[in-house]
Amino acid sequence: MPSERDVMRDATGTPPAENVVETLTQTVTQTVPQTVTQVQAGEVTAESVTQRSLARIAALDGEVNAFLHVARDQALAQARAIDQKRARGEPLGKLSGVAIAIKDALCTRGLPSTAASKILAGYEPPYDATVVARLRAADAVIVGKTNMDEFAMGSSSENSAFGPTHNPWDLTRTPGGSSAGSAAAVSARMVSCSLGSDTGGSIRQPAALTGTVGLKPTYGRVSRYGLIAFASSLDQVGPFATDVRGAARVLGVIAGHDPNDATSLDAPVDDYEAACGRSVRGLRIGVPDEYFSGGLDPEVASSVRHAIDALRDEGCVVKAVQLPHTRFAVATYYVLANAEASSNLARFDGVRYGLRAREGNAGRDLRAMYGATRDAGFGAEVKRRILLGTFVLSAGHYDAYYLKAQQVRTLIRRDFERAFEEVDVICSPASPTPAFRLGEKTDDPLAMYLSDVYTLPASLAGLPAISVPCEPVHSGLPVGLQIMARALEESTMLAVASAWEARSPARDLLPPLAGRA
Ligand code: GLN
């Protein structure tokens, strides 16, 4: 048996091959809470956990493209500092030595933060997002920044300026989006958890497509200070993890009031982990008819229904609920999100951050420089959204589109209020289909937008929602069960999620690629 020291040296330098294999396989089965327990007990060092994560990234990411930037030196230095802290007998945080990956939409001090856009190429923020600072304070180790759709606009990662991420379950398919790299890195067990952001489904849909747990908190539960803004009335940061408890642990660390974010709620943070494993007997589950029709893949439908039946066996009461305005969610979202994006993205003009165009006409005057920079820096989908957003806000169209969409948003929120008078959580599919092929929807923006048909309503209503793996379809691709709850009732949602996870046939399934390294 190699000692911990040997293992560390192995991963950095000249290892005997079998030690590396052993080291790498160990990571595959470890959850966030398990790693923390081992690091705190001194059974493994934070440095060795980090080395394992870096070794898996090195072995697998050539094919997956989950990372835009691997922070090797910074991560190792951070890990060593944690080990020294332990050696001095100081108490360690709730994420001691856990290797975590961060979506590139979040600002990380001294590390590139580009939101996968050329316009922010080379940008290194002078500060950490609040969530990142909280992770560091909890002794997590940031191993890198993950790939995504440019400015979080997309459902497949194909809008990244740096090439798409590939789904570890089938490299010809998308891991979903926009938090593609954060989902794929967890799915391939390069890390046991990561952070994503979810505006209309960007945590839940990729979690469903990669067989990981992905949680979007209540609007305002988690600070967005340092999140590169897409649509500010919708954006939330949340965790991905290999299991429900891992997601609960990370949520507990990042949740809570932040004076730097005026929308963050000053409400007490529950003990989310304590909710995992709690009895769900007597809890009422609503199943909305509107989510089981239309373009829903029949195999996804039966997998999700099977999960709901299993929860009934656990003592939950299952009943039908109506969310009649669901069919307006996609249209409402794309008016509001684009309107907000057109305003948020106005700041990228070549003056303060990243790219500045200098060629051709760009030198003529300030306006020409703005235009040339934005033309060169933004990808096609981002431009489409800025144009649509500017259109719906413009004089003469504002009432017909923007104002109308705000009114429909209220109706969607009221649907949920009514349903939650009768039930405690609402269950549905997270995505209408399993992972689709890369290239399959790139020519059809509407087909791509429909990937979010089941995640958008909770976003518009500001409610918490989670995707938990359920039985895969026959081809082996993962399926996600979405559980939505009342505002600030993440604990109820987590109790149901962990009750299902304990019985889920997907519980111990790993993508073939994960076992290869
Ligand atoms: N896929 C949706 C969009 O393209 C949602 C993205 C997100 O949640 N960031 O806008």
Side-chain angles (χ1 to χ4, degrees), residues 48 74 145 293 314 489:
S48 70
Q74 208 189 76
K145 302 301 293 291
S293 56
E314 287 288 310
E489 290 201 11

Side-chain angles (χ1 to χ4, degrees), residues 103 152-155 177-178 197-202 230 333-334 385 452:
K103 187 177 185 178
M153 296 173 185
S155 307
S178 65
S197 68
D198 188 312
T199 303
S202 277
F230 164 11
Y333 170 84
Y334 278 95
R385 295 195 187 205
D452 305 307

